[in-house]
Amino acid sequence: MTRALDEARAAAARGEVPVGAVVVRDGTMLAAAGNRTEELNDPTAHGEMLALRAAAQILGNARLGGCDLYVTLEPCPMCAQAISLFRIRRLYFGAPDPKGGGVEHGPRIFAQPTCHHSPEVYGGIAETEAAALLKAFFRERR
């Protein structure tokens, strides 16, 4: 989660919402990314999506079985569905997102009968630090 927090800080420095994500397999980091929606003019360029895509390219496989995803904020519904499609083994996230989350809040993607793969989910990892990054970012913009 430390590297995901680093990615979130880097995203904030670029003017992006500070969310960072890291894909790990067998204790080795495959990919890391932070949000780049503004930079790329792409609303799908969330840290999770970028890290998942990069890991799939590295492995040469659209399925990331045996891989774990660390992300600083509860994934949104789009990212939660991608996590399912990529077949992530475990999801570790920092701060919950009552407004925009899709795992423990909102549509709860992994609990839907149409969801074909549900990872193990562990929330609250480095929650205080992840939440502080987000609060500081939005405080500066208001």
Side-chain angles (χ1 to χ4, degrees):
M1 188 60 82
T2 300
R3 179 62 192 270
L5 288 164
D6 290 343
E7 290 291 334
R9 285 186 206 92
R14 294 189 302 272
E16 303 277 358
V17 174
V19 177
V22 176
V23 177
V24 175
R25 184 175 187 185
D26 298 327
T28 301
M29 184 182 69
L30 296 176
N35 279 1
R36 292 186 178 274
T37 59
E38 301 299 324
E39 175 187 343
L40 300 176
N41 298 311
D42 179 357
T44 70
H46 292 190
E48 301 97 303
M49 298 294 285
L50 298 173
L52 290 166
R53 290 173 185 156
Q57 287 298 310
I58 289 166
L59 294 177
N61 195 329
R63 304 287 184 265
L64 300 176
C67 292
D68 301 330
L69 177 67
Y70 293 80
V71 61
T72 58
L73 180 66
E74 175 185 352
C76 72
M78 172 187 70
C79 292
Q81 187 62 48
I83 290 163
S84 175
L85 293 171
F86 276 103
R87 306 294 196 262
I88 289 294
R89 177 179 58 178
R90 292 185 196 106
L91 166 65
Y92 299 91
F93 71 85
D97 188 354
K99 183 177 178 183
V103 176
E104 292 184 347
H105 298 89
R108 298 180 178 166
I109 297 297
F110 304 138
Q112 299 303 315
T114 54
C115 183
H116 296 291
H117 171 78
S118 298
E120 294 175 32
V121 177
Y122 303 92
I125 312 300
E127 178 180 347
T128 303
E129 190 171 356
L133 282 171
L134 288 158
K135 287 176 185 172
F137 178 82
F138 287 111
R139 188 179 326 112
E140 291 174 12
R141 275 145 184 77
R142 291 189 178 121

